[in-house]
């Protein structure tokens, strides 16, 4: 099998050129989807041409954004509106799957992008990693280098060039979360310092920018507001209010269970002005966010070269007439005028010079970057921003009015990255490009090419596409790197921030630079326009209908293990199957040799297996591993040899219906946490899984018999066959039938069973009678966020701490992220409190591990963060889990 020949096109844009392309704030290169077409989309686009105001909102996490304010600004006032989230939400919890850490951050990144597609905003991030709940700003700064994260905020301010900044948090202790406090503090510092080129040089941070106003959200304290806006305002063009749009946007945060009602009527949004460089001195005298800020074309015209002023005047006059003549049922009438004013706006832009007005860190090193040098020569970034944004919006309106749609489809969802040593493989992806003209006038197709991580095509002369027709052409994609999250390119190096620098591009542009996209170069009414769309694998699902999934460039041969961490019992004979998944992305057969590498003490039945994979096939190779392993953390690896190249990594697919799929890459290895742990005799555990729950797998790996229980089974299943039943974290919150059958679980304990309930959020108070004896949570439930916080054992002789494993000081070592979460503060005296702990300078809390007799059995409530420790292979967590499921006095409960 040889590679298909490909001829580079002289008219397409190279991957390097795309990465360094001029970026317009708010302009999106994503494909237009059905909701963004038609009269509503075109009407909004026409209304937005000429609006030049920009607002940057800032907070800490994906779920912190104020979507009603964003939607009201972006959709209602056509203001360029961006949300800067310091983190990607990596440290939170996951209500829709088991992904945690960086995988959860990838989910929440895509959820934010889904939200922005709905509310019309632009999305940015800094490099800060969400390391988990933090009590205050001081603790947060112990994890994040302040100057580095502040520098990221300044980069975004200079790239986006907002007239107004809005921080969603106060920067004070009342924000609660330390990340929230830091976001409020850094937003204000960036407002003050974004124009300081001494502290933040142009060569590293871009051209200076000075925002004119700084506000904070007053949604939690409406009486402090100096300005309020009706986010419930109805938009007859869109058929919804901005709050309804915002509610749909907010509901994209499905991993956090943040679905909200799309309420109608007047709904106020509250803002408080904290600092200003213009406008009325009395903040309460303001009528709008832009009071005192001149964003009109009068101000812009005065800064345009005199020779270009008549051209600009003509364009604006035509725009006024065009809006009056626009008819939703017949948009063809505005195509020619739109093309004419687009040409005029471009002529004005041309008079301003040729250099880009945003700084892109192209990796060439500070002042040595040609982009940095050109940026220093640009004298008026505000003017550039206004003109370039207007050009981009006019281009969008022209494409909508002309009814031009571009599709790029591929016959499969993945294709292999090119590896130079592999000469007898097919690593080229055929792409079918279809350009539809659904308008009433002909258009001209100049060329189309696949860009992003790789591109190939053949030159195409001008093709005329008549009204109500389409032109189809073949193209090919070749990838030289895998599609993977750009921010993980350099990892975190065991730090709490990502090492890959950010630059002036927003998140959509950042992701497109490592994606496979199609650029079509068309001419509409004499004006050239570039339309960019993702290359997708399109198919019909019998239930979901038309599905379009962006294609991904992946390694030709991928190797995956079932997990990244597993427990083993140390010092006892091991007999375990280790499955290795080997996948080919080649469209033909591939012969591979699969190997496994084991730590000392373990041996496989065979070291290497040969397999032939079908085209785009996958095979599971299972190695039987035996031996004895000593206590400690060990490494196990797998690899596959193909065409003289060793594959030692594989992608982990993160895919849910509401987000764009992403693949996260990691080495084809896993850690083995060998633990000296005794199994409880005769243990048989029933387990109702909770949120992000690794408990079942941990028990299985410790050779403890466990059976998954669905809440619907609890009403009819014979529970007496279990020595203990475990309820996973936050299960009552997410499993409605569990609440319904809770009385039967309590009865199981009364008859002699052990019921172990892992923590619920503060809304455990919302379920009367869910616990056998009262527990109360403070409005902000207590947490121990320091993973190494001292632990005091209050009842060292209690069976849960002695049998079958004696829990000692070593068992509290090596914990990750936090000790305990959502701890009750008021505890009924019938509970025995076994542990005491607290963060520095906070009162001790006794709610980490509670046990109470219940009839002949026992009820155990656990707020220890086992859901974080078990996936990390913490030895003490495994030993404690074995004790928790040991059962009441290690006896099997009687029949129910």
């Amino acid at each position: 099998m040889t590679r298909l020949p490909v001829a580079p096109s002289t008219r397409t844009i190279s991957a390097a050129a795309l990465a360094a392309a001029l970026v317009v704030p708010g302009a999106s290169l994503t494909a237009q989807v059905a909701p963004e077409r038609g009269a509503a989309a075109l009407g909004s686009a026409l209304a937005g041409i000429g609006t030049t105001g920009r607002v940057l909102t800032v907070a800490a996490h994906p779920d912190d954004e104020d979507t009603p304010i964003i939607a009201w600004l972006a959709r209602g006032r056509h203001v360029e509106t961006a949300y800067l989230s310091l983190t990607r939400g990596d440290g939170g919890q996951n209500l829709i799957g088991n992904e945690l850490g960086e995988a959860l951050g990838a989910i929440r990144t895509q959820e934010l992008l889904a939200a922005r597609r709905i509310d019309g905003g632009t999305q940015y991030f800094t490099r800060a990693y969400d390391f988990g709940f933090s009590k205050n700003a001081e603790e947060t700064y112990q994890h994040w280098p302040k100057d580095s994260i502040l520098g990221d905020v300044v980069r975004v301010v200079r790239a986006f060039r907002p007239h107004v900044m809005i921080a969603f948090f106060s920067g004070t202790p009342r924000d609660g979360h330390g990340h929230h406090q830091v976001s409020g503090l850094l937003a204000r510092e960036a407002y003050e310092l974004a124009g300081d080129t001494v502290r933040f040089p142009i060569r590293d941070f871009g051209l200076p920018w000075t925002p004119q106003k700084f506000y904070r959200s007053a949604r939690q304290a409406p009486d402090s507001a100096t300005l309020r806006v009706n986010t419930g305002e109805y938009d007859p063009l869109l058929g919804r209010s901005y709050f309804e749009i915002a509610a749909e946007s907010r509901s994209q945060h499905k991993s956090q269970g943040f679905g909200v009602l799309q309420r109608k009527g007047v709904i106020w949004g509250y803002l408080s002005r904290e600092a200003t460089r213009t406008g009325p001195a009395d903040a309460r005298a303001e009528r709008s966010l832009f009071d005192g800020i001149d964003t009109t074309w009068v101000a812009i015209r005065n800064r345009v070269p005199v020779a270009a002023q008549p051209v600009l005047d003509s364009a604006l006059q035509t725009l006024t007439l065009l809006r009056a003549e626009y008819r939703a049922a017949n948009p063809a009438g505005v195509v020619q005028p739109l093309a004419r004013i687009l040409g005029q706006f471009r002529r004005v832009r041309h008079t301003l010079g040729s250099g880009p007005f945003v700084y892109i860190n192209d990796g060439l090193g500070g002042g040595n970057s040609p982009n940095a040098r050109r940026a220093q020569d640009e004298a008026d970034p505000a003017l550039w921003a206004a003109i370039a944004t207007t050009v981009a919006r006019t281009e969008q309106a022209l494409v909508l009015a002309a009814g031009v749609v571009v599709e790029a489809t591929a016959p499969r969802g993945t294709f292999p990255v090119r590896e130079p040593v592999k000469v007898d493989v097919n690593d080229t992806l055929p792409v079918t490009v279809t350009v539809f003209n659904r308008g009433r006038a002909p258009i001209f197709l100049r060329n189309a090419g696949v860009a992003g991580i790789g591109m190939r095509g053949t030159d195409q002369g001008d093709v005329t596409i008549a009204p109500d027709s389409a032109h189809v052409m073949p193209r090919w994609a070749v990838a030289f790197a895998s599609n993977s999250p750009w921010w993980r390119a350099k990892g975190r190096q065991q730090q709490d921030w990502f090492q890959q620098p950010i630059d002036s591009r927003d998140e959509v542009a950042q992701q497109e630079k490592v994606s496979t996209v199609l650029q079509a170069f068309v001419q509409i009414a004499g004006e050239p326009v570039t339309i960019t769309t993702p290359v997708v694998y399109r198919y019909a699902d019998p239930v979901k209908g038309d599905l379009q999934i962006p294609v991904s460039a992946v390694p030709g041969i991928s190797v995956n293990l079932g997990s990244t961490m597993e427990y083993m019992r140390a010092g006892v004979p091991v007999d375990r199957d280790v499955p290795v998944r080997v996948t080919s992305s080649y469209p033909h057969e591939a012969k591979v040799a699969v190997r496994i590498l084991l730590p000392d003490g373990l041996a496989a039945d065979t070291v290497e297996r040969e397999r032939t994979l079908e085209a785009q096939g996958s095979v599971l190779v299972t190695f039987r591993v035996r031996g004895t392993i000593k206590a400690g953390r060990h490494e196990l690896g797998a690899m596959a040899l193909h065409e003289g190249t060793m594959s030692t990594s594989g992608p982990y697919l993160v895919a849910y219906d509401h987000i764009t799929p992403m693949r996260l890459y990691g080495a084809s290895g896993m850690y083995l946490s060998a633990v000296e742990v005794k199994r409880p005799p005769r243990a048989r555990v029933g387990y109702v899984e909770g949120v992000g729950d690794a408990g079942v797998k941990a028990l299985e790996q410790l050779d403890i018999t466990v059976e998954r229980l669905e809440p619907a089974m609890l009403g009819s299943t014979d529970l007496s066959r279990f020595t203990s039943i475990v309820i996973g974290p936050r299960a009552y919150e997410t499993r409605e039938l569990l609440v319904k059958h809770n009385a039967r679980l309590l009865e199981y304990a009364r008859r002699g069973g052990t019921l172990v309930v892992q923590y619920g959020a503060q809304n455990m108070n919302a379920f009367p009678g869910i616990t056998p004896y009262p527990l109360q949570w403070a409005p902000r439930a207590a947490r121990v966020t320091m993973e190494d916080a001292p632990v005091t054992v209050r009842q060292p002789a209690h069976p849960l701490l002695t049998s079958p494993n004696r829990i000692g000081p070593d068992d509290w070592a090596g914990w990750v992220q936090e000790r305990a979460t959502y701890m009750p503060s008021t505890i009924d005296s019938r509970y025995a409190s076994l542990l005491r702990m607290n963060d520095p300078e906070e009162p001790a809390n006794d709610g980490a591990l509670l046990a109470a007799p219940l009839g002949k059995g026992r009820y155990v409530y656990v707020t220890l963060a086992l859901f974080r420790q078990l996936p990390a292979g913490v030895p003490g967590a495994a030993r404690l889990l074995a004790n928790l499921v040991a059962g009441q006095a290690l006896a099997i409960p009687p029949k129910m």
Side-chain angles (χ1 to χ4, degrees):
M1 181 71 66
T2 57
R3 298 180 181 180
L4 297 179
V6 290
S9 169
T10 59
R11 296 193 180 185
T12 51
I13 298 179
S14 69
L18 180 65
L22 181 66
V23 179
V24 178
S28 172
L29 299 178
T30 56
Q32 296 179 21
V33 294
E36 295 300 323
R37 298 180 189 143
L42 179 54
S44 294
L46 291 175
I49 297 175
T51 302
T52 62
R54 294 181 301 283
V55 175
L56 176 66
T57 64
V58 183
H61 306 111
D63 63 308
D64 293 336
E65 93 278 52
D66 191 332
T67 52
I69 291 293
I70 294 174
W72 181 83
L73 284 167
R75 295 295 189 191
R77 300 301 178 267
H78 307 290
V79 170
E80 290 287 335
T81 309
Y83 173 45
L84 169 60
S85 177
L86 297 190
T87 77
R88 297 174 186 271
D90 325 73
Q93 298 174 41
N94 185 359
L95 294 183
I96 59 175
N98 290 328
E99 295 89 352
L100 293 174
E102 292 187 28
L104 178 57
I107 292 174
R108 293 187 174 177
T109 294
Q110 291 300 331
E111 287 180 336
L112 267 185
L113 292 180
R116 297 293 83 82
R117 287 192 289 270
I118 293 167
D119 60 35
T122 301
Q123 187 61 50
Y124 289 93
F125 294 95
T126 75
R127 290 174 291 167
Y129 177 74
D130 182 356
F131 57 85
F133 189 84
S134 170
K135 296 290 181 67
N136 51 57
E138 293 74 22
E139 179 187 340
T140 297
Y141 282 137
Q142 292 176 13
H143 294 263
W144 297 345
K146 178 182 176 181
D147 288 347
S148 297
I149 305 306
L150 173 59
D152 287 353
V153 180
V154 169
R155 280 187 183 93
V156 172
V157 171
R158 290 185 176 183
F160 189 69
R161 295 172 298 279
H163 299 96
V164 175
M165 292 181 65
I166 301 173
F168 290 146
F169 291 103
S170 68
T172 67
R174 75 167 180 261
D175 295 331
H177 202 316
H179 298 180
H180 295 169
Q181 295 179 46
V182 167
S183 74
L185 293 168
L186 293 184
R188 179 58 190 270
E189 289 189 60
Y191 168 80
E192 301 290 351
L193 296 172
D196 186 343
T197 58
V198 175
R199 184 169 176 182
F200 299 100
I202 291 174
R203 68 178 183 274
D204 296 322
F205 297 92
L207 293 171
W209 182 261
T210 303
Q212 296 301 296
K213 292 185 179 182
F214 185 87
Y215 292 81
R216 294 196 190 274
S217 171
R219 56 185 174 183
Q220 303 299 330
D223 291 343
S224 68
T226 62
L227 185 69
R228 68 175 189 174
V229 299
N230 179 18
T231 63
E233 178 185 346
Y234 177 72
D235 189 320
L237 183 64
L238 302 178
R240 293 193 292 173
S241 72
Y242 305 119
F243 188 90
E244 289 176 279
I245 294 170
E248 182 184 352
S249 170
R250 181 70 169 171
S251 296
Q252 301 310 302
H253 295 287
K254 300 183 189 303
S255 66
Q256 295 178 273
F258 278 174
V260 295
L261 294 173
Q262 297 185 21
R263 294 187 288 127
K264 298 176 176 63
V266 174
I267 301 173
W268 294 107
Y270 298 94
L271 299 169
S272 177
R273 196 185 79 186
E274 184 175 293
T276 186
R277 296 182 170 100
T278 188
D282 182 0
R284 295 185 181 273
E286 285 188 331
R287 303 297 298 271
S288 79
L289 285 172
F290 293 94
D291 259 8
I293 303 174
D294 192 347
T295 60
T296 67
W297 282 97
V298 173
I300 294 172
R301 181 184 186 277
N302 293 336
R303 296 155 73 175
V304 170
V306 174
Q309 290 178 358
V311 180
L312 179 60
D313 293 340
S314 175
L316 295 175
Q317 292 168 4
T318 303
L319 179 62
T320 300
L321 295 173
L322 179 153
R323 286 171 174 154
E325 296 175 359
Y326 168 61
R327 299 294 180 268
N330 183 21
V334 301
V335 172
Q336 288 288 346
L338 269 174
R340 185 163 58 253
I341 66 172
L342 174 59
Q344 292 172 321
F345 284 136
R346 283 173 168 170
R347 286 168 57 192
V348 173
R349 184 179 64 181
H350 181 72
T351 66
L352 304 182
S354 58
F357 57 90
V358 294
Y359 171 68
I360 293 178
N361 180 354
D362 57 10
L364 297 182
N368 293 325
S369 165
N371 289 310
R373 290 198 300 272
R374 286 195 294 269
Q376 295 180 60
D377 295 335
E378 179 49 56
D380 196 344
L383 180 57
W384 259 103
I387 297 296
T389 299
T390 301
V391 168
R393 289 183 170 188
T394 308
E395 288 175 343
Q396 179 191 22
L398 179 60
V399 172
L400 289 168
V404 179
V405 178
V406 178
E407 293 182 349
T409 59
R412 53 187 185 270
T414 61
F415 67 108
V417 172
R418 173 158 291 181
E419 300 175 74
V421 300
K422 296 183 179 181
V423 295
D424 293 326
V425 297
N426 181 352
D427 56 13
T428 305
L429 179 72
V431 177
T432 299
V433 179
T434 308
V435 181
F436 295 90
N437 179 5
R438 301 196 287 187
R440 298 187 178 182
I443 65 171
F444 298 94
L445 173 63
R446 295 295 181 85
N447 196 15
V450 179
I453 57 173
M455 70 172 211
R456 292 291 187 270
T458 55
D459 283 338
Q460 177 80 31
D462 290 352
V463 174
T464 300
I465 305 178
D468 199 24
S469 65
H471 179 74
V472 181
M473 67 178 71
R475 285 292 183 267
W476 300 271
V478 175
F480 302 97
S482 298
N483 294 136
S484 60
W486 69 271
W487 67 91
R488 299 181 77 238
K490 295 183 179 179
R492 291 189 288 120
Q493 306 299 319
Q494 297 182 333
Q495 305 292 334
D496 285 324
W497 71 95
F498 293 99
Q499 303 300 298
Q500 178 68 24
I502 71 167
D503 55 37
S504 57
R505 285 168 282 209
D506 64 49
E507 186 63 22
V508 169
Q510 293 281 18
Q511 294 199 17
E512 282 190 343
K513 74 182 182 183
V514 293
S515 300
T516 305
V517 296
L518 185 285
Q519 292 182 320
F521 305 93
V522 300
Q523 185 170 311
I524 303 172
E527 281 296 316
V529 179
T530 301
I531 302 174
T532 303
T533 188
V535 180
V536 300
Y537 169 52
R538 185 177 186 181
Y539 65 98
D541 181 273
V543 175
K544 299 176 182 178
D546 188 339
L547 293 183
Q548 301 183 40
I549 301 173
V551 301
S552 290
V554 300
I557 302 296
S558 300
V559 184
N560 291 90
L561 293 166
S563 59
T564 58
M565 172 70 71
E566 287 191 5
Y567 284 109
M568 278 188 174
R569 290 195 296 147
V572 300
V574 171
D575 190 343
R576 181 178 298 186
D577 288 340
V578 176
V580 179
R581 173 72 63 180
V582 183
T583 304
S584 169
S585 60
Y586 293 109
H588 50 75
E589 285 188 349
K591 294 182 179 180
V592 298
V594 187
R595 298 177 184 173
I596 187 170
L597 304 176
L598 297 170
D600 292 342
L602 298 180
D605 48 355
T606 56
V607 175
E608 181 174 299
R609 309 271 181 85
E610 291 188 354
R611 293 290 187 272
T612 298
L613 279 66
E614 297 179 351
Q616 289 198 291
S618 179
V619 64
L620 191 65
V621 181
T622 301
F623 294 87
R624 186 175 183 182
V625 174
R626 302 183 199 182
T628 303
I629 192 169
K630 63 181 181 180
R633 178 167 290 201
H634 309 273
E635 295 183 18
L636 181 152
M639 58 184 63
L641 183 66
H642 173 252
E643 294 287 331
T645 299
M646 190 69 72
S647 298
T648 58
S649 67
Y652 170 73
L653 178 63
V654 178
Y656 293 91
D657 286 348
H658 67 298
I659 61 174
T660 301
M662 299 189 79
R663 286 174 168 83
L664 279 64
Y665 287 82
S668 54
M670 68 177 175
Y671 289 107
L672 298 176
S673 179
V675 184
E676 293 179 342
V677 56
K678 297 178 182 178
R679 294 182 301 168
R682 303 186 305 277
R684 185 178 184 87
V685 182
Y687 204 112
V688 180
E689 292 184 287
V691 174
D693 195 353
V696 170
K697 289 184 177 180
L699 290 170
E700 291 173 340
Q701 292 161 10
L702 296 172
D703 302 322
I704 297 174
T705 302
V706 59
E707 179 181 330
R708 287 176 172 84
L709 294 175
E710 289 298 323
M713 301 166 54
L714 297 176
S716 56
T717 297
D718 178 13
L719 302 181
S720 65
R721 57 198 177 92
F722 300 111
T723 55
S724 62
I725 294 177
V726 179
I727 309 300
R730 299 182 70 174
Y732 286 100
E733 182 182 346
T734 58
R735 316 291 290 272
E736 184 177 345
L737 287 176
L738 180 60
V739 178
K740 176 181 178 181
H741 293 302
N742 187 64
R744 194 159 191 266
L745 291 172
L746 295 178
E747 181 62 23
Y748 157 81
R750 290 189 180 95
R751 290 178 178 267
T754 293
L755 179 61
V756 180
V757 177
Q758 297 183 61
Y759 85 99
Q762 291 174 228
N763 61 4
M764 286 289 283
N765 283 333
F767 306 120
I770 209 75
T771 59
Y773 312 118
L775 296 171
Q776 292 294 322
W777 286 260
R780 286 182 178 170
R783 311 173 74 141
V784 179
T785 61
M786 305 298 289
E787 61 268 27
D788 56 356
V791 176
T792 300
V793 178
R794 300 191 66 210
Q795 298 194 26
H798 195 282
L800 290 179
L801 299 177
T802 59
S803 182
N805 302 285
R806 182 168 293 278
I807 304 301
D810 291 345
D811 291 302
W812 304 111
W815 283 48
V816 298
Q817 189 159 325
E818 57 192 335
R819 286 282 195 207
T821 187
Y822 295 111
M823 306 165 73
S825 298
T826 303
I827 302 168
D828 188 276
S829 60
R830 284 167 284 191
Y831 291 101
S833 175
L834 308 187
L835 304 173
R836 174 173 291 167
M837 59 185 68
N838 58 276
D839 281 330
E841 301 181 6
E842 291 195 355
N845 188 288
D846 296 339
L849 179 57
L850 306 174
L854 187 59
K856 298 178 181 179
R858 177 190 292 146
Y859 180 90
V860 182
Y861 192 77
V862 187
T863 64
L864 293 168
L866 297 179
F867 76 102
R868 297 203 188 278
Q869 315 314 316
L870 296 176
V874 175
R879 287 163 49 82
L880 183 60
L881 179 63
N883 285 14
L884 294 176
V885 302
Q888 174 72 357
L890 305 182
I892 299 177
K895 289 283 185 179
M896 293 185 64

